[in-house]
Structure formats: structure tokens, C-alpha cells
Amino acid sequence: MSANSSFPPHKIIGVAVIWNDHEQILIDRRLPEGVMGGLWEFPGGKIEPGETIEECIQREIQEELGIKIEVGKHLITIDHTYTHLRVTLTVHHCRLITGVPQPIECDEICWVNLDELENFTFPEANSQIITALKQGVGSARMKRITND
């Protein structure tokens, strides 16, 4: 099946919920030009042929933010159809390992507490990620990041 055989086009996206040691989550603002420009998102990107979701997430975060992360447990997989695009978001808890996040391929970055997420405007599909995160509130939250 070719990429042109379905409409809207379908993209499989690896998404990182990156936690720091202060239990804050890293979000970024999409560049103003383009589809959904200016909205906030959890960083990630399209999976490349032959890549696992975990490899995709690590590569995209290195390219977009210039940091190394540990990809931990799966949080949620979301299938969502916009008018122009169908996405499958595979979301993992991640932990910052080294580096200081830089807005290399985005407009702005921000560390936020879980309860601050509702103050930012996200693409519609991201609401399910936020709901899943809020359902996981509690002392066990950080323990879920690693696969141990």
C-alpha cells in the first residue's frame, strides 16, 4: 500500500513525556508556520522504516531538543483522525539523562507541573495523553518511568 492510498494520510508518531527530577514534564510549542502551528505538544516525531518506537523517540528528542533521554514504560497509544491527517501516537514516559533542552525544531520549550498542562493549548489528540497522565497521579508516578 502506498502512502497516497489513504486519505487522510496516516503517520505513526513516537511521543515522549519527559520527566525531570522535580516531577515536571517538558512540553514544546510548535513553530508558528504549518499545520497546528503555535500549539503546545509533547515532543516526538514520525517513526522511520526499521526503527522501534523507543529508537524513534530517542532520535527525535536528540534532533529536536538536543538532549538524551531514557525511554521508559508505555503510557498510552492513541489513534486520532483530524480532517487533514490520521495519527497513531505511541506515548512513553521518559527521563532526562543529559543535556539542557534547546528549542532546535520548535518555537519554545517549557517545564511544567502536571496540574499546569491545562493552561496550554494542545492539539486535540493530546487531551487523551493529559487524561492518562492525570489518572496516574500519585507517588508511584515517577516509578512508572523506568521499566524496572
Side-chain angles (χ1 to χ4, degrees):
M1 181 186 325
S2 74
N4 296 329
S5 64
S6 66
F7 187 84
H10 181 218
K11 290 186 181 179
I12 299 172
I13 309 290
V15 178
V17 175
I18 303 169
W19 296 88
N20 66 16
D21 292 338
H22 305 289
E23 293 198 17
Q24 294 174 310
I25 300 167
L26 185 65
I27 59 174
D28 67 65
R29 187 193 299 260
R30 298 172 68 96
L31 293 170
E33 58 276 355
V35 178
M36 294 188 268
L39 297 180
W40 289 88
E41 65 182 357
F42 298 95
K46 189 172 79 164
I47 192 167
E48 298 291 340
E51 245 182 356
T52 66
I53 286 292
E54 293 83 359
E55 290 167 341
C56 167
I57 292 171
Q58 287 180 321
R59 176 186 52 77
E60 287 285 347
I61 299 310
Q62 179 67 48
E63 290 174 1
E64 293 180 5
L65 302 170
I67 58 174
K68 291 191 187 294
I69 58 165
E70 174 187 2
V71 178
K73 288 193 175 185
H74 175 258
L75 173 65
I76 190 172
T77 297
I78 299 163
D79 284 306
H80 186 85
T81 303
Y82 295 100
T83 56
H84 63 285
L85 178 68
R86 181 175 152 228
V87 294
T88 299
L89 305 177
T90 303
V91 185
H92 281 258
H93 286 286
C94 298
R95 182 172 62 90
L96 176 64
I97 300 290
T98 60
V100 175
Q102 304 295 316
I104 297 168
E105 293 187 12
C106 60
D107 199 40
E108 183 180 354
I109 55 175
C110 187
W111 287 105
V112 298
N113 294 316
L114 184 58
D115 59 357
E116 295 174 314
L117 288 172
E118 58 200 37
N119 299 330
F120 297 85
T121 305
F122 287 84
E124 187 179 336
N126 284 236
S127 64
Q128 293 178 63
I129 300 172
I130 295 168
T131 298
L133 286 167
K134 288 186 176 187
Q135 289 172 346
V137 170
S139 62
R141 179 171 59 208
M142 287 300 288
K143 291 182 176 107
R144 282 193 225 116
I145 296 172
T146 61
N147 289 314
D148 297 339

